[in-house]
Amino acid sequence: MKTNNYVFPKGFLWGGATAATQCEGAWDKDGKGASVLDHCTNGDREHPRKVTDSIDPEQHFYPSHKGCMQYDRFEEDIELFAEMGFKTYRLSINWSRIFPNGDDEKPNQAGLDYYRRLFEKCRSHNIEPTVTMTHYDIPWNICVKYGGWANREVIDLFLRYAETILTEYKGLVTRWLTHNEINFGTISYGELITSGILPKHRQIVMHDADATAKDINKRFQALHHEFVASAKVVQLAHEIDSNNEVGCMMCGFAFYPLSCKPGDVAAAQRDMEIWNYYCMDVMCKGKYPYWANRYWKENDINLSIPEEDYRVLENGTVDFISFSYYRTDCSTDELEKHEGSTDFGMQNPLLEATEWGWTIDPQGLRWLLNEYYARYEKPLMIVENGIGAYETMEEDGAIHDTHRIEYMREHFKAMAQAIEDGVDLIGYACWSAIDIVSAGTGEFKKRYGLIYVDADDLGNGTYDRYKKDSFFWYKKVIACNGEKLD
Ligand code: BGP
């Protein structure tokens, strides 16, 4: 008989997530170097973020320079997370805080000290850190001097960084993710932020219609280097501490065929392949997917892959899979004939969407969890999921984000169903634990947090923190391990 009780495994890792360049601020404090996002201006849905070669605060506002000021207020934030009962806080180390130029001989001690204090603070509240090694924070110098990940030399620079943090935080951190949403590296959007390749038009756009075969080749070569680096990090992490577990981090893309027309079904399969499995097969199975040669041929991609890389990939498969989940999209082989296309295909006409046009699809999460689990049979962790919305604070300081509670509740039900299906889901970190800057648009008003931060798109405000209604709701959910979701 069906009841309204949901069963999550004992020890389920409830928590919340952020990323350094979106929450820390203090972009040039205590010896930190500039990262790629520090060169990105604010924008909005209609206006893409610009990438400026030099940083000119007189001319532009750079949202990462302030974030939500977590660098200066992390203790307060972690106390709030502890109050909600977080079991894990997923955050990222800012690569350019540790190696300001990416190729420095020695790490920046002040940067290392900062994260030590932060991890110790988490541990003092029984919050396990889940740490992303790079989340859109490639040192700008790597981008300019080396051409980003397209250059093989970056593998060693990343390994030096990884070895430094793995050694430094041994015992404090045991759950690591290598590259955030590595699969964005297959399109223009990820060129700069995940792969450190300076975009031709100095803008962050999803798709660059002018991309040449050479540009595309560079993208995929960069990805290959990221795969090799990640595989080496897996091995290194296990050598440094056998308790370490390393996961890949994917943007969870779910594509439905727009109709049952065979061409649409095939289009959805192709979209699933390139958006998800191209990267996941390499990181989870240790080899490129069986259709990679066909794909490379169709797209004039000629990769330089030394023989030894194949062994590295084979020996460096991840321990678990982490991913973000926000939306689903529809695929068709006749996109040009339809109106209403999204960045990733067609918007599902049967689903509601957020104010930013992201469809809301809790059932899609159950579907995707099953897809991933069937293919890889590795533990899964949702490390981002949430809704971006305009929100205001009432006179009395309350923030009534019922849309977020509803969104999370329905996604939790889908998770519980997937767990009942037999999926090994180990944790969930909502995006975001606290209001932070949007990565895509650079806005602050696209709020995702359970905690409201008094700040606007141009960095004005007190940056004081206020608990939203979802804060109190999530606290109750965690306290009963998800059994009651009302
Ligand atoms: C993911 C990123 C995050 C985060 C989130 C929401 O792609 O890993 O960094 O920002 O999406 O996207 P946005 O900030 O563009 O709304």
Side-chain angles (χ1 to χ4, degrees):
M1 216 193 35
K2 275 271 161 222
T3 64
N4 281 337
N5 289 357
Y6 301 92
V7 181
F8 287 85
K10 199 164 166 264
F12 190 76
L13 292 161
W14 297 100
T18 60
T21 52
Q22 294 169 251
C23 75
E24 282 179 357
W27 76 282
D28 60 352
K29 209 166 162 184
D30 298 336
K32 180 181 166 298
S35 72
V36 290
L37 271 197
D38 294 328
H39 281 254
C40 297
T41 66
N42 64 318
D44 57 38
R45 233 187 123 181
E46 278 77 43
H47 306 94
R49 303 184 73 176
K50 291 198 185 64
V51 184
T52 63
D53 288 319
S54 57
I55 291 177
D56 184 358
E58 299 292 310
Q59 288 293 321
H60 304 286
F61 179 63
Y62 299 87
S64 66
H65 293 196
K66 278 191 111 167
C68 72
M69 297 187 67
Q70 189 168 88
Y71 190 81
D72 299 306
R73 307 181 71 143
F74 76 88
E75 291 180 320
E76 180 185 353
D77 288 350
I78 289 163
E79 279 161 25
L80 286 165
F81 302 160
E83 192 182 327
M84 272 186 280
F86 277 20
K87 311 289 176 215
T88 188
Y89 174 34
R90 179 214 168 200
L91 70 151
S92 69
I93 295 180
N94 209 326
W95 185 352
S96 58
R97 208 175 275 294
I98 307 300
F99 285 95
N101 300 294
D103 57 359
D104 316 73
E105 285 302 317
K106 295 249 170 317
N108 172 30
Q109 191 58 45
L112 290 173
D113 294 345
Y114 168 70
Y115 292 106
R116 170 169 293 280
R117 288 198 302 275
L118 194 157
F119 297 144
E120 282 172 351
K121 178 78 184 166
C122 288
R123 290 279 177 193
S124 75
H125 288 281
N126 293 320
I127 298 175
E128 279 183 42
T130 297
V131 178
T132 321
M133 291 185 168
T134 175
H135 192 141
Y136 309 160
D137 50 16
I138 302 171
W140 181 251
N141 181 53
I142 289 195
C143 169
V144 180
K145 183 166 159 194
Y146 297 85
W149 279 100
N151 186 332
R152 200 173 167 90
E153 283 178 62
V154 178
I155 298 177
D156 285 339
L157 300 178
F158 186 71
L159 287 175
R160 186 190 298 170
Y161 162 61
E163 185 169 5
T164 304
I165 56 177
L166 285 165
T167 312
E168 179 76 24
Y169 306 122
K170 183 174 169 172
L172 271 177
V173 179
T174 54
R175 194 174 309 99
W176 298 91
L177 317 178
T178 51
H179 308 259
N180 184 64
E181 295 189 333
I182 191 168
N183 45 342
F184 263 126
T186 58
I187 55 164
S188 331
Y189 181 67
E191 258 174 22
L192 178 72
I193 61 178
T194 66
S195 301
I197 300 169
L198 205 52
K200 271 193 301 212
H201 304 297
R202 300 293 193 267
Q203 285 188 341
I204 302 202
V205 289
M206 249 338 137
H207 301 284
D208 169 10
D210 300 344
T212 61
K214 204 168 148 205
D215 297 331
I216 294 173
N217 207 72
K218 213 194 254 186
R219 262 185 225 163
F220 281 84
Q221 187 65 55
L223 263 181
H224 177 73
H225 295 149
E226 288 168 65
F227 294 147
V228 171
S230 179
K232 289 189 172 186
V233 167
V234 172
Q235 287 199 298
L236 189 66
H238 292 162
E239 276 160 33
I240 290 176
D241 184 348
S242 58
N243 291 319
N244 274 331
E245 296 197 334
V246 185
C248 56
M249 187 333 191
M250 298 288 150
C251 182
F253 284 108
F255 290 98
Y256 302 148
L258 185 64
S259 74
C260 53
K261 184 162 74 78
D264 286 357
V265 176
Q269 189 173 48
R270 293 285 172 268
D271 285 341
M272 287 300 289
E273 284 177 351
I274 189 61
W275 288 93
N276 291 290
Y277 303 136
Y278 184 86
C279 296
M280 291 177 90
D281 276 12
V282 178
M283 301 179 92
C284 302
K285 289 181 171 179
K287 58 183 185 189
Y288 277 99
Y290 63 91
W291 46 265
N293 277 313
R294 187 257 300 156
Y295 186 82
W296 290 332
K297 221 156 109 195
E298 276 171 8
N299 291 282
D300 280 333
I301 296 169
N302 286 297
L303 298 183
S304 151
I305 307 185
E307 219 26 60
E308 74 210 43
D309 285 3
Y310 292 107
R311 276 188 304 280
V312 171
L313 297 178
E314 247 173 62
N315 295 328
T317 54
V318 292
D319 303 310
F320 68 99
I321 295 168
S322 79
F323 67 102
S324 61
Y325 178 83
Y326 292 95
R327 59 191 281 171
T328 56
D329 292 273
C330 295
S331 308
T332 168
D333 62 344
E334 294 180 304
L335 197 56
E336 61 297 340
K337 285 200 183 161
H338 298 277
E339 275 179 23
S341 67
T342 71
D343 286 329
F344 311 112
M346 286 291 303
Q347 184 158 328
N348 191 327
L350 306 176
L351 296 175
E352 277 180 33
T354 70
E355 285 153 307
W356 278 262
W358 295 23
T359 51
I360 301 173
D361 185 7
Q363 286 187 46
L365 178 57
R366 177 181 181 182
W367 179 78
L368 194 66
L369 282 163
N370 275 281
E371 285 293 301
Y372 285 172
Y373 196 63
R375 194 167 174 118
Y376 303 108
E377 292 195 349
K378 285 187 189 271
L380 297 172
M381 181 167 178
I382 299 163
V383 293
E384 287 185 28
N385 170 247
I387 183 166
Y390 296 109
E391 283 156 8
T392 44
M393 194 165 65
E394 307 292 322
E395 294 272 301
D396 63 356
I399 302 95
H400 301 305
D401 57 342
T402 36
H403 46 277
R404 178 162 298 104
I405 295 174
E406 184 61 17
Y407 182 100
M408 290 174 81
R409 178 189 290 123
E410 294 308 310
H411 284 78
F412 291 176
K413 287 182 190 167
M415 282 154 47
Q417 285 166 336
I419 290 167
E420 209 178 332
D421 293 334
V423 169
D424 183 10
L425 179 64
I426 60 171
Y428 172 92
C430 67
W431 190 268
S432 44
I434 178 168
D435 285 347
I436 59 177
V437 173
S438 151
T441 65
E443 292 161 290
F444 206 91
K445 62 173 180 277
K446 190 180 183 188
R447 296 174 182 273
Y448 282 94
L450 306 171
I451 299 164
Y452 183 91
V453 176
D454 172 34
D456 71 11
D457 279 354
L458 295 173
N460 304 303
T462 60
Y463 285 78
D464 285 344
R465 277 75 167 132
Y466 299 87
K467 299 168 196 172
K468 300 184 190 177
D469 288 356
S470 56
F471 178 103
F472 301 103
W473 177 80
Y474 195 34
K475 181 178 173 176
K476 281 198 292 186
V477 170
I478 298 177
C480 66
N481 197 29
E483 200 184 309
K484 293 252 183 274
L485 299 175
D486 305 330

